[in-house]
Protein backbone atom coordinates (compact mmCIF):
# COMPACT_ATOMS: atom_id res chain seq x y z
CA UNK A 1 0.00 0.00 0.00
CA UNK A 2 3.04 2.26 -0.05
CA UNK A 3 3.12 5.39 -2.16
CA UNK A 4 6.86 5.63 -2.74
CA UNK A 5 8.62 4.93 -6.03
CA UNK A 6 11.65 2.68 -6.07
CA UNK A 7 14.26 2.18 -8.74
CA UNK A 8 16.85 -0.55 -9.37
CA UNK A 9 19.80 1.17 -11.02
CA UNK A 10 21.67 -0.93 -13.55
CA UNK A 11 25.30 -1.87 -13.02
CA UNK A 12 25.89 -3.43 -16.43
CA UNK A 13 25.94 -7.05 -17.62
CA UNK A 14 22.41 -7.65 -16.39
CA UNK A 15 23.22 -6.67 -12.81
CA UNK A 16 21.26 -4.22 -10.68
CA UNK A 17 21.75 -2.40 -7.43
CA UNK A 18 19.35 -2.87 -4.54
CA UNK A 19 16.05 -1.02 -4.82
CA UNK A 20 16.30 2.59 -3.72
CA UNK A 21 13.58 5.16 -3.06
CA UNK A 22 13.34 7.64 -5.93
CA UNK A 23 13.75 11.21 -4.74
CA UNK A 24 12.74 14.46 -6.39
CA UNK A 25 15.08 17.34 -7.08
CA UNK A 26 14.42 18.50 -3.51
CA UNK A 27 16.11 15.29 -2.28
CA UNK A 28 12.84 14.13 -0.72
CA UNK A 29 10.97 10.97 -1.79
CA UNK A 30 8.61 11.46 -4.71
CA UNK A 31 5.05 11.10 -3.49
CA UNK A 32 1.63 12.30 -4.61
CA UNK A 33 0.55 14.90 -2.04
CA UNK A 34 -2.55 14.31 0.06
CA UNK A 35 -3.98 16.99 2.32
CA UNK A 36 -5.49 14.70 4.94
CA UNK A 37 -6.41 11.07 5.69
CA UNK A 38 -9.47 11.39 3.48
CA UNK A 39 -7.17 11.79 0.46
CA UNK A 40 -4.81 8.92 1.27
CA UNK A 41 -6.04 6.96 -1.77
CA UNK A 42 -4.28 9.52 -3.96
CA UNK A 43 -0.83 8.66 -2.65
CA UNK A 44 -0.93 4.86 -2.20
CA UNK A 45 -0.68 1.90 -4.57
CA UNK A 46 1.11 4.16 -7.04
CA UNK A 47 2.04 2.74 -10.45
CA UNK A 48 4.60 4.67 -12.52
CA UNK A 49 5.23 4.64 -16.27
CA UNK A 50 8.42 6.35 -17.47
CA UNK A 51 8.03 8.20 -20.79
CA UNK A 52 8.84 11.55 -22.37
CA UNK A 53 5.24 12.74 -21.99
CA UNK A 54 5.74 16.38 -22.99
CA UNK A 55 8.35 15.87 -25.71
CA UNK A 56 11.13 17.92 -24.08
CA UNK A 57 13.69 15.12 -24.27
CA UNK A 58 13.47 14.18 -20.58
CA UNK A 59 11.80 11.11 -19.14
CA UNK A 60 8.71 11.93 -17.10
CA UNK A 61 6.61 9.73 -14.82
CA UNK A 62 2.94 9.21 -15.58
CA UNK A 63 1.52 7.76 -12.37
CA UNK A 64 -1.62 5.90 -11.34
CA UNK A 65 -2.88 5.30 -7.81
CA UNK A 66 -5.51 3.60 -5.66
CA UNK A 67 -7.98 6.44 -6.23
CA UNK A 68 -8.08 5.78 -9.97
CA UNK A 69 -6.67 9.15 -11.04
CA UNK A 70 -3.41 10.09 -12.77
CA UNK A 71 -0.48 12.42 -12.06
CA UNK A 72 2.62 13.59 -13.92
CA UNK A 73 6.06 14.09 -12.39
CA UNK A 74 7.97 16.20 -14.91
CA UNK A 75 11.49 15.08 -15.73
CA UNK A 76 14.24 17.62 -15.12
CA UNK A 77 17.25 15.85 -16.54
CA UNK A 78 18.86 12.40 -16.31
CA UNK A 79 16.97 10.55 -13.60
CA UNK A 80 15.72 13.75 -11.96
CA UNK A 81 12.08 14.65 -11.39
CA UNK A 82 10.15 17.66 -10.13
CA UNK A 83 9.04 17.00 -6.54
CA UNK A 84 5.45 18.17 -7.05
CA UNK A 85 3.27 16.33 -9.60
CA UNK A 86 0.58 17.75 -11.85
CA UNK A 87 -2.78 16.01 -12.00
CA UNK A 88 -3.89 14.94 -15.48
CA UNK A 89 -7.23 16.23 -16.71
CA UNK A 90 -9.69 15.46 -19.50
CA UNK A 91 -12.41 17.98 -20.47
CA UNK A 92 -11.50 20.08 -17.40
CA UNK A 93 -12.14 17.17 -15.04
CA UNK A 94 -9.58 14.87 -13.37
CA UNK A 95 -8.74 11.97 -15.65
CA UNK A 96 -10.21 8.91 -13.95
CA UNK A 97 -10.95 5.26 -14.67
CA UNK A 98 -14.29 3.67 -13.76
CA UNK A 99 -12.88 1.64 -10.86
CA UNK A 100 -9.79 2.15 -8.71
CA UNK A 101 -6.12 1.18 -9.08
CA UNK A 102 -5.29 3.21 -12.19
CA UNK A 103 -2.63 1.45 -14.24
CA UNK A 104 -1.15 3.72 -16.93
CA UNK A 105 0.49 2.35 -20.05
CA UNK A 106 1.55 5.22 -22.32
CA UNK A 107 1.45 4.36 -26.02
CA UNK A 108 0.28 5.75 -29.36
CA UNK A 109 -2.80 3.50 -29.31
CA UNK A 110 -4.53 5.05 -32.35
CA UNK A 111 -1.32 5.48 -34.42
CA UNK A 112 -1.82 9.22 -34.98
CA UNK A 113 1.65 10.21 -33.80
CA UNK A 114 0.94 11.31 -30.23
CA UNK A 115 0.93 9.50 -26.90
CA UNK A 116 -2.29 8.16 -25.40
CA UNK A 117 -2.94 6.36 -22.11
CA UNK A 118 -4.27 2.82 -21.82
CA UNK A 119 -5.21 1.71 -18.31
CA UNK A 120 -6.51 -1.31 -16.47
CA UNK A 121 -8.85 -1.04 -13.51
CA UNK A 122 -10.00 -2.83 -10.39
CA UNK A 123 -13.37 -3.51 -12.05
CA UNK A 124 -11.79 -5.61 -14.80
CA UNK A 125 -12.10 -3.10 -17.61
CA UNK A 126 -9.40 -1.71 -19.88
CA UNK A 127 -9.82 1.84 -21.19
CA UNK A 128 -8.14 4.27 -23.54
CA UNK A 129 -7.71 8.03 -23.04
CA UNK A 130 -7.12 9.55 -26.46
CA UNK A 131 -4.62 12.38 -26.89
CA UNK A 132 -6.08 14.83 -29.41
CA UNK A 133 -3.22 17.33 -29.43
CA UNK A 134 -1.23 15.86 -32.28
CA UNK A 135 2.45 15.05 -32.59
CA UNK A 136 4.85 17.47 -30.93
CA UNK A 137 2.15 19.37 -29.01
CA UNK A 138 1.31 19.37 -25.30
CA UNK A 139 -1.03 16.42 -24.64
CA UNK A 140 -4.78 17.07 -24.56
CA UNK A 141 -6.68 14.04 -23.30
CA UNK A 142 -10.25 12.87 -23.77
CA UNK A 143 -12.03 10.96 -20.99
CA UNK A 144 -11.44 7.23 -20.93
CA UNK A 145 -13.26 5.08 -23.47
CA UNK A 146 -13.73 1.42 -22.63
CA UNK A 147 -11.97 -1.00 -25.00
CA UNK A 148 -12.47 -4.13 -22.88
CA UNK A 149 -15.74 -4.15 -20.91
CA UNK A 150 -16.10 -4.25 -17.17
CA UNK A 151 -14.93 -7.54 -15.76
CA UNK A 152 -16.74 -10.82 -16.00
CA UNK A 153 -18.92 -11.19 -12.90
CA UNK A 154 -17.94 -14.43 -11.16
CA UNK A 155 -20.47 -13.89 -8.40
CA UNK A 156 -18.39 -11.92 -5.94
CA UNK A 157 -21.52 -11.66 -3.82
CA UNK A 158 -20.51 -15.12 -2.65
CA UNK A 159 -23.40 -17.18 -3.99
CA UNK A 160 -22.10 -18.43 -7.32
CA UNK A 161 -19.80 -21.26 -8.22
CA UNK A 162 -16.77 -20.35 -10.32
CA UNK A 163 -14.56 -23.07 -11.76
CA UNK A 164 -11.27 -22.65 -13.60
CA UNK A 165 -12.93 -22.96 -17.01
CA UNK A 166 -15.79 -20.53 -16.30
CA UNK A 167 -14.37 -17.00 -16.81
CA UNK A 168 -14.85 -15.70 -20.33
CA UNK A 169 -12.88 -12.45 -19.85
CA UNK A 170 -10.86 -10.73 -17.09
CA UNK A 171 -12.56 -10.47 -13.72
CA UNK A 172 -11.00 -7.78 -11.55
CA UNK A 173 -7.70 -6.18 -10.55
CA UNK A 174 -6.62 -5.77 -14.19
CA UNK A 175 -3.10 -4.79 -15.27
CA UNK A 176 -2.20 -4.18 -18.92
CA UNK A 177 0.73 -4.35 -21.31
CA UNK A 178 0.59 -3.15 -24.91
CA UNK A 179 2.74 -4.73 -27.62
CA UNK A 180 2.60 -6.23 -31.10
CA UNK A 181 2.33 -9.77 -29.81
CA UNK A 182 1.88 -11.63 -33.11
CA UNK A 183 4.11 -9.41 -35.26
CA UNK A 184 1.42 -8.21 -37.64
CA UNK A 185 2.20 -4.53 -37.13
CA UNK A 186 -0.80 -3.87 -34.87
CA UNK A 187 -0.78 -3.16 -31.15
CA UNK A 188 -2.30 -5.92 -29.03
CA UNK A 189 -3.15 -6.23 -25.35
CA UNK A 190 -1.83 -8.50 -22.63
CA UNK A 191 -4.17 -8.34 -19.65
CA UNK A 192 -3.47 -9.87 -16.25
CA UNK A 193 -6.25 -10.19 -13.69
CA UNK A 194 -7.14 -11.56 -10.27
CA UNK A 195 -9.85 -14.13 -9.69
CA UNK A 196 -11.20 -16.16 -6.80
CA UNK A 197 -12.28 -19.64 -7.86
CA UNK A 198 -15.11 -21.10 -5.79
CA UNK A 199 -16.03 -24.79 -5.96
CA UNK A 200 -18.11 -27.04 -3.67
CA UNK A 201 -16.22 -29.28 -1.28
CA UNK A 202 -16.31 -32.96 -2.14
CA UNK A 203 -19.74 -34.50 -1.58
CA UNK A 204 -21.79 -31.35 -2.15
CA UNK A 205 -23.66 -30.38 -5.30
CA UNK A 206 -23.52 -26.86 -6.69
CA UNK A 207 -27.06 -26.12 -5.47
CA UNK A 208 -26.31 -27.40 -1.97
CA UNK A 209 -23.15 -25.32 -1.74
CA UNK A 210 -24.93 -22.20 -3.02
CA UNK A 211 -27.70 -22.62 -0.43
CA UNK A 212 -25.14 -22.91 2.36
CA UNK A 213 -23.25 -19.90 1.01
CA UNK A 214 -26.41 -17.77 0.96
CA UNK A 215 -27.14 -18.65 4.60
CA UNK A 216 -23.51 -18.04 5.53
CA UNK A 217 -23.50 -14.66 3.76
CA UNK A 218 -26.60 -13.46 5.61
CA UNK A 219 -25.07 -14.36 8.96
CA UNK A 220 -21.75 -12.83 7.88
CA UNK A 221 -23.47 -9.51 7.20
CA UNK A 222 -25.15 -9.52 10.62
CA UNK A 223 -21.91 -10.26 12.46
CA UNK A 224 -20.06 -7.62 10.46
CA UNK A 225 -22.68 -5.05 11.46
CA UNK A 226 -22.44 -6.04 15.13
CA UNK A 227 -18.65 -5.76 15.03
CA UNK A 228 -18.84 -2.30 13.49
CA UNK A 229 -21.46 -1.17 15.99
CA UNK A 230 -19.29 -2.33 18.88
CA UNK A 231 -16.30 -0.49 17.48
CA UNK A 232 -18.28 2.70 16.85
CA UNK A 233 -19.70 2.59 20.39
CA UNK A 234 -16.29 3.22 21.92
CA UNK A 235 -16.17 6.62 23.54
CA UNK A 236 -12.62 7.95 23.92
CA UNK A 237 -11.65 8.51 27.52
CA UNK A 238 -11.24 12.22 28.07
CA UNK A 239 -8.01 13.35 29.64
CA UNK A 240 -7.73 16.00 32.31
CA UNK A 241 -5.50 18.34 30.34
CA UNK A 242 -5.00 20.71 33.29
CA UNK A 243 -3.42 18.10 35.49
CA UNK A 244 -2.37 15.71 32.69
CA UNK A 245 -4.01 12.82 34.50
CA UNK A 246 -3.62 9.42 32.85
CA UNK A 247 -6.43 6.94 32.32
CA UNK A 248 -5.27 4.89 35.28
CA UNK A 249 -6.00 7.87 37.51
CA UNK A 250 -9.69 7.56 36.64
CA UNK A 251 -10.66 3.95 37.50
CA UNK A 252 -14.26 4.37 36.36
CA UNK A 253 -13.31 5.66 32.93
CA UNK A 254 -10.58 3.05 32.56
CA UNK A 255 -13.04 0.27 33.45
CA UNK A 256 -15.53 1.58 30.90
CA UNK A 257 -12.89 1.69 28.20
CA UNK A 258 -11.80 -1.86 29.01
CA UNK A 259 -15.41 -3.05 28.81
CA UNK A 260 -15.88 -1.43 25.41
CA UNK A 261 -12.66 -2.92 24.05
CA UNK A 262 -13.71 -6.37 25.29
CA UNK A 263 -17.04 -6.02 23.46
CA UNK A 264 -15.21 -5.17 20.24
CA UNK A 265 -12.84 -8.11 20.70
CA UNK A 266 -15.73 -10.50 21.28
CA UNK A 267 -17.60 -9.25 18.21
CA UNK A 268 -14.58 -9.65 15.95
CA UNK A 269 -13.79 -13.11 17.32
CA UNK A 270 -17.32 -14.20 16.40
CA UNK A 271 -16.81 -12.61 12.99
CA UNK A 272 -13.53 -14.49 12.42
CA UNK A 273 -14.93 -17.85 13.57
CA UNK A 274 -17.83 -17.51 11.19
CA UNK A 275 -15.41 -16.77 8.35
CA UNK A 276 -13.72 -20.12 9.00
CA UNK A 277 -17.03 -21.99 8.54
CA UNK A 278 -17.06 -21.25 4.82
CA UNK A 279 -14.29 -23.76 4.20
CA UNK A 280 -16.69 -26.56 5.22
CA UNK A 281 -18.74 -26.20 2.06
CA UNK A 282 -16.76 -23.99 -0.37
CA UNK A 283 -13.18 -24.34 -1.55
CA UNK A 284 -11.63 -21.00 -2.49
CA UNK A 285 -8.52 -20.47 -4.57
CA UNK A 286 -7.13 -17.04 -5.33
CA UNK A 287 -5.34 -16.96 -8.66
CA UNK A 288 -5.16 -14.98 -11.88
CA UNK A 289 -5.01 -15.34 -15.64
CA UNK A 290 -3.21 -13.67 -18.51
CA UNK A 291 -5.52 -12.79 -21.40
CA UNK A 292 -4.32 -12.03 -24.92
CA UNK A 293 -6.34 -9.63 -27.06
CA UNK A 294 -5.13 -9.57 -30.69
CA UNK A 295 -6.10 -6.45 -32.56
CA UNK A 296 -8.02 -6.99 -35.80
Amino acid sequence: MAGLFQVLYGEGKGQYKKAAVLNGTDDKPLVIPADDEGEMTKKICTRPYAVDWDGDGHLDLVVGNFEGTFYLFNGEGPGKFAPTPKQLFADDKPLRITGVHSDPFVIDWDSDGDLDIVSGSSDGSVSWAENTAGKGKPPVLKPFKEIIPKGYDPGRNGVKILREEDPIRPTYGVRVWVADINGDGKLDLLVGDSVTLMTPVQGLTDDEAIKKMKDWTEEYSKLSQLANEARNAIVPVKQNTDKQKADKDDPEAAAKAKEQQAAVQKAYEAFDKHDEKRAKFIKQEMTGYVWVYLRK
Side-chain angles (χ1 to χ4, degrees), residues 178-193:
V178 182
D180 180 6
I181 297 168
N182 58 355
D184 64 354
K186 301 175 183 178
L187 292 175
D188 309 304
L189 286 173
L190 279 173
V191 181
D193 71 351

Side-chain angles (χ1 to χ4, degrees), residues 1-3 32-47 63-71 96 99-102:
M1 299 291 285
I32 297 173
D35 293 337
D36 52 44
E37 291 186 3
E39 294 187 335
M40 285 298 290
T41 53
K42 289 183 179 180
K43 61 187 292 186
I44 60 175
C45 299
T46 45
R47 297 186 63 83
V63 179
N65 56 19
F66 183 92
E67 183 184 57
T69 53
F70 297 82
Y71 287 80
R96 183 186 297 268
V100 296
H101 285 283
S102 43

Side-chain angles (χ1 to χ4, degrees), residues 61-91:
L61 291 179
V62 176
V63 179
N65 56 19
F66 183 92
E67 183 184 57
T69 53
F70 297 82
Y71 287 80
L72 172 71
F73 286 94
N74 282 113
E76 297 188 350
K80 303 295 183 182
F81 298 92
T84 303
K86 302 174 183 177
Q87 187 165 14
L88 298 186
F89 284 77
D91 291 348

